[in-house]
Amino acid sequence: MPSRGAVRLAAVAASVWAVCLAAVHAPEITGALATVLWCCALGAVAIAARTRRRTRRGRLAAAVIVLALAGSAAAASHVAFAQPPRAALEDPRFGGGRAITVSLEATGKIERRSDGLLAFDARTVSITAGDETRHLAVDITVAVELADVDDIARLDVGARVTARGVLQPAWPGERAAARILASRGIEIVRAPQDALATAAALRSGLVSAVAGLPGDGAGLVPGLAVGDTTAVSSDLDAAMKASSLSHLTAVSGANCAIVVGIAVVLAALLGAGRRVRVACGLAALAGFVLLVTPEPSVVRAAVMAAIAMLGLVLGRPSSGLAILAVAVVVVLVGDPWLAPSLGFALSVTATASLLLFARPLADGLTRVLPRALALALAVPLAAQLACGPLLILITPDVPLAGVLANLLAAPAAPVATIVGLAACLAAPLPAVQSGLAAIAWLPASWIAGTARTVSALPGATATWIEGWAGAVILALVGAALGIVIGLGRGRSRARERVRWMALLALATVVGIVAGSSALAGVAGRWTLPSQWSILACDVGQGDAVLVRSAGAIALIDTGPDPKALDACLARAGIVHIDLLVLTHFDADHVGGLEAVAGRVGTVLHGPPGDGDDAILGALEGGGADLLAADTGATGALGDARWHVLWPQAASRAFPPGNDASVVLEIRGGAVPAVLLLGDLSASPQRAIAASGLLARSYAVVKVAHHGSADQHAALYRAVQPSIGLITVGSGNDYGHPRAEVLAELDALGARIARTDRDGMVAVWSVGDEAALWRERGGVGRGG
């Protein structure tokens, strides 16, 4: 159990954290807030000083109040003093899409985002818009295309650069006061200097040293050693996250402990005294933070280590929870914008879980496991139970095999970290660096293999409830599991009652999760009509429609989210896509492409816009054949035939985008005649209606643009659909589908199926009729 002093300090940390959250989200009130808090702190000190006969408990309570008020006041003051230059970026002369030029210095890692852009944190030196230049020192985030950087090799932490583009507002609570999209490029004015240049050279040297090594282990070595994940492939990164191993490449407390421990041991072997050993440890820690760049987890761990070593110098060692609490206060006062950072919260939560729960869990596990194995399992189990609810806020999946993966990776991680760090520092000796890199590659490859193997296991992850509701429920489940394992059996009836209630709650949740996972996977096929020919996936605000004939599969668009599409494909038992139709390249139609990467035979696509060739290139690289869609193109899908009715080749009237969407007709081969209208507006619909290409009737018409109001009603009257299929997201911001569209379909006698209310929708032929199945409805037939 933590000491009372540690609990009091934890209360102080929680108070400071809460005030920081309020301050960074409402910076306009921080001046008044800081003043009030300072007055309250001084008042509390005065009251405590005048109350001489207070008991020890009362004095401690007064100290907690004073510390909480003072820490909160200091953090609010920091935000208040930083607000004027941050507010200057809201000047209309710099915003509104105006072209600006920013002189800045890179302060964070240069990383590739999921959209392909490079992004990094920076601090401005000056901002120029037109003839006006203002000198401001403000944190911002920069995003840029790789091709728009004039010398990418010199872009690193500490580089002075000039970025040209447009300024965009940041999200509330972010450290960055704004974001700049450097659409007009970045010019490197000066490479990193002095110590920053050395650190950059060491990091890039390690990446180069492992570049010639085979497999996933090569890219993982820099991540494990210094947190550089630039060489980690996207699929390995996904596997690491799915198996709960991504924390190994996020430099944190374990890395800091290794570095400090090595420095202290070496100093002790040389006969150094306690103060010298601590000084060596602090120096090594400072150098390590400089090498890996100060990420939230690194800052928290470094401050904790520094406070712990200071306690050793003063001869006042403290409990881990007390050190963590003091570290949180110090870090938040120095950087209040870490308060809403999920990375910082995960770092603190993981550390606290190990300090509080690892031992009780280990004691509970020893009832059924050997002591050594119980200890090894307790550490990742404690971290996963505590961090799981926070991770749900990022992605609604629970890695059921995460503890197993961490258990398998645990022996290899410190070896890869220590040897990889040694290889990084051995840059002046290329032969030695290459040898050490090769040694580090072995445990790194083991970790990569563990990640891929575990993430590929059936049931490795379970889909969970999204948002805060899911986080709260998972926290309760984690608490129940902790009680079952750690509480143990006792003679107390109340204790046994608590254990049985926790067991009952766990059994209920396990049953629900297992059933949901089964329905989302193999067993899900049993809940779909086996004879479906057309299947509209419920992927939110986007399109993803499957068509099947004689075992051949076509997928028309991929929706906005790979996870949603992957769940639909898994439930339908789809492994390979014979024909992928990309009607156009908006995110709600191509955002889910990751789910079908390497699984596509032919891609039939609409005209690409700027930057869309990269999407097609990736598909072609995965083995797909590319086919541009033009009016009159046709082909086979099993026993059915598909025909392209739109777009017109090289049309200037309808450039790439919604109005140049591929319009497809599929009929025959037991597929009900279906017309898929993409995201066309009324104007191109009018052109198609006048073209003479449309049949007199269709069993199914996929309504254009999710049922927007911009429709040509005469087209729908001309094709007389039996079923109006609307792929649309629940609660979307566009008001789709519009009431007038629904009224038009209803007037035509069409049955309306919409994925926002009906979930998945299936259609198939029964004689001359089309049968319709709704996931949240039933089966019906119509002409």
Side-chain angles (χ1 to χ4, degrees):
M1 291 293 293
S3 66
R4 291 183 178 179
V7 172
R8 295 187 186 101
L9 287 173
V12 172
S15 301
V16 174
W17 202 327
V19 170
C20 285
L21 280 170
V24 299
H25 282 93
E28 64 278 359
I29 68 167
T30 50
L33 178 62
T35 301
V36 171
L37 288 171
W38 280 122
C39 290
C40 290
L42 292 173
V45 171
I47 293 172
R50 295 188 62 180
T51 310
R52 298 180 178 177
R53 296 184 178 181
R54 188 181 298 274
T55 63
R56 182 174 183 274
R57 179 177 296 179
R59 291 195 299 272
L60 290 173
V64 169
I65 293 172
V66 170
L67 288 174
L69 289 170
S72 300
S77 299
H78 186 159
V79 178
F81 283 121
Q83 183 57 19
R86 292 169 65 89
L89 292 184
E90 299 175 6
D91 191 318
R93 288 169 292 186
F94 297 134
R98 292 191 64 186
I100 63 168
T101 299
V102 184
S103 175
L104 48 85
E105 183 171 311
T107 58
K109 291 179 183 177
I110 287 76
E111 298 180 314
R112 187 177 292 277
R113 301 192 320 197
S114 58
D115 59 5
L117 294 177
L118 296 181
F120 59 94
D121 294 330
R123 193 161 183 82
T124 62
V125 177
S126 65
I127 302 179
T128 301
D131 297 330
E132 181 174 356
T133 298
R134 293 195 63 177
H135 294 276
L136 293 171
V138 181
D139 291 317
I140 66 171
T141 300
V142 184
V144 63
E145 293 277 1
L146 174 61
D148 293 333
V149 182
D150 71 339
D151 189 355
I152 188 63
R154 296 201 302 157
L155 180 59
D156 211 317
V157 178
R160 177 70 64 87
V161 307
T162 299
R164 297 178 177 87
V166 293
L167 206 62
Q168 301 172 333
W171 294 105
E174 285 187 343
R175 180 195 290 109
R179 298 191 294 270
I180 179 171
L181 178 60
S183 54
R184 292 163 49 203
I186 282 182
E187 176 188 351
I188 311 300
V189 177
R190 188 196 68 200
Q193 302 291 302
D194 304 323
L196 291 174
T198 302
L202 289 173
R203 289 193 300 269
S204 62
L206 179 59
V207 173
S208 300
V210 299
L213 296 173
D216 291 327
L220 203 54
V221 169
L224 295 167
V226 295
D228 188 331
T229 57
T230 55
V232 177
S233 64
S234 58
D235 54 337
L236 176 59
D237 180 60
M240 294 283 286
K241 290 175 180 176
S243 55
S244 288
L245 293 177
S246 58
H247 66 92
L248 296 178
T249 56
V251 178
S252 59
N255 305 73
C256 290
I258 289 171
V259 170
V260 171
I262 291 174
V264 170
V265 169
L266 289 176
L269 292 175
L270 294 174
R274 182 172 64 182
R275 292 178 183 272
V276 175
R277 294 198 301 270
V278 170
C280 290
L282 287 173
L285 182 62
F288 182 67
V289 171
L290 181 67
L291 176 62
V292 303
T293 70
E295 298 292 312
S297 59
V298 179
V299 171
R300 190 273 311 154
V303 172
M304 275 194 70
I307 292 172
M309 286 188 284
L310 180 62
L312 290 176
V313 170
L314 298 175
R316 298 284 301 274
S318 302
S319 71
L321 184 61
I323 295 172
L324 176 62
V326 174
V328 167
V329 172
V330 171
V331 170
L332 288 177
V333 170
D335 187 356
W337 292 273
L338 281 176
S341 166
L342 199 55
F344 183 70
L346 284 168
S347 175
V348 173
T349 302
T351 305
S353 70
L354 299 183
L355 295 170
L356 294 174
F357 308 132
R359 179 173 293 179
L361 288 174
D363 291 341
L365 290 170
T366 52
R367 296 195 298 270
V368 293
L369 296 173
R371 181 71 180 175
L373 182 58
L375 289 171
L377 279 172
V379 171
L381 181 60
Q384 183 160 326
L385 292 179
C387 295
L390 292 175
L391 292 172
I392 286 297
L393 299 177
I394 302 175
T395 177
D397 294 317
V398 178
L400 300 180
V403 173
L404 172 63
N406 276 274
L407 183 65
L408 294 173
V415 178
T417 300
I418 294 171
V419 180
L421 184 57
C424 182
L425 299 176
L429 305 170
V432 176
Q433 184 180 48
S434 297
L436 290 171
I439 295 172
W441 172 84
L442 291 170
S445 297
W446 169 261
I447 294 171
T450 298
R452 288 195 180 278
T453 301
V454 171
S455 64
L457 292 174
T461 59
T463 301
W464 198 258
I465 304 166
E466 295 187 43
W468 284 103
V472 171
I473 293 172
L474 187 59
L476 294 175
V477 171
L481 182 58
I483 289 171
V484 170
I485 295 175
L487 192 59
R489 293 182 177 275
R491 297 179 180 178
S492 167
R493 234 177 235 187
R495 189 168 183 165
E496 282 298 304
R497 192 177 294 118
V498 169
R499 286 189 78 254
W500 279 109
M501 288 176 64
L503 276 171
L504 179 62
L506 274 177
T508 302
V509 171
V510 167
I512 293 172
V513 171
S516 300
S517 298
L519 288 176
V522 177
R525 304 178 204 176
W526 306 336
T527 66
L528 294 177
S530 61
Q531 65 272 46
W532 68 266
S533 296
I534 301 169
L535 185 66
C537 297
D538 181 11
V539 294
Q541 183 70 6
D543 282 8
V545 179
L546 291 161
V547 180
R548 180 176 66 178
S549 174
I553 300 293
L555 171 64
I556 295 84
D557 291 325
T558 68
D561 180 15
K563 289 185 178 297
L565 178 60
D566 191 55
C568 179
L569 295 177
R571 185 171 175 185
I574 304 300
V575 176
H576 181 74
I577 307 296
D578 298 282
L579 176 67
L580 172 63
V581 182
L582 300 180
T583 61
H584 61 298
F585 292 86
D586 283 358
D588 57 336
H589 292 255
V590 300
L593 275 172
E594 184 183 332
V596 296
R599 303 163 61 183
V600 177
T602 299
V603 177
L604 178 68
H605 63 87
D610 294 339
D612 295 334
D613 287 332
I615 294 174
L616 296 174
L619 288 166
E620 189 174 29
D625 296 323
L626 303 183
L627 179 62
D630 287 322
T631 302
T634 185
L637 177 72
D639 295 336
R641 297 290 300 179
W642 55 263
H643 305 270
V644 175
L645 308 184
W646 190 264
Q648 298 172 339
S651 172
R652 294 185 179 181
F654 302 104
N658 286 354
D659 286 348
S661 294
V662 176
V663 173
L664 204 65
E665 173 191 284
I666 304 176
R667 62 174 63 243
V671 176
V674 57
L675 177 66
L676 301 123
L677 291 171
D679 270 4
L680 295 189
S681 67
S683 180
Q685 288 181 34
R686 193 174 292 111
I688 293 176
S691 69
L693 296 174
L694 295 172
R696 291 185 178 181
S697 65
Y698 291 89
V700 182
V701 170
K702 201 287 295 183
V703 176
H705 204 187
H706 321 294
S708 74
D710 194 8
Q711 308 282 345
H712 181 51
L715 181 147
Y716 293 91
R717 289 195 291 268
V719 299
Q720 292 293 311
S722 296
I723 297 170
L725 176 61
I726 305 175
T727 49
V728 62
S730 177
N732 66 83
D733 298 329
Y734 309 101
H736 297 163
R738 297 298 294 267
E740 53 267 40
V741 176
L742 298 175
E744 180 67 31
L745 292 171
D746 189 58
L748 293 172
R751 289 172 291 162
I752 298 172
R754 42 191 290 189
T755 54
D756 61 336
R757 294 184 178 178
D758 299 329
M760 296 177 71
V761 175
V763 182
W764 65 96
S765 293
V766 180
D768 294 332
E769 298 181 345
L772 171 65
W773 172 88
R774 300 177 175 92
E775 183 180 16
R776 304 186 190 113
V779 179
R781 298 181 187 179

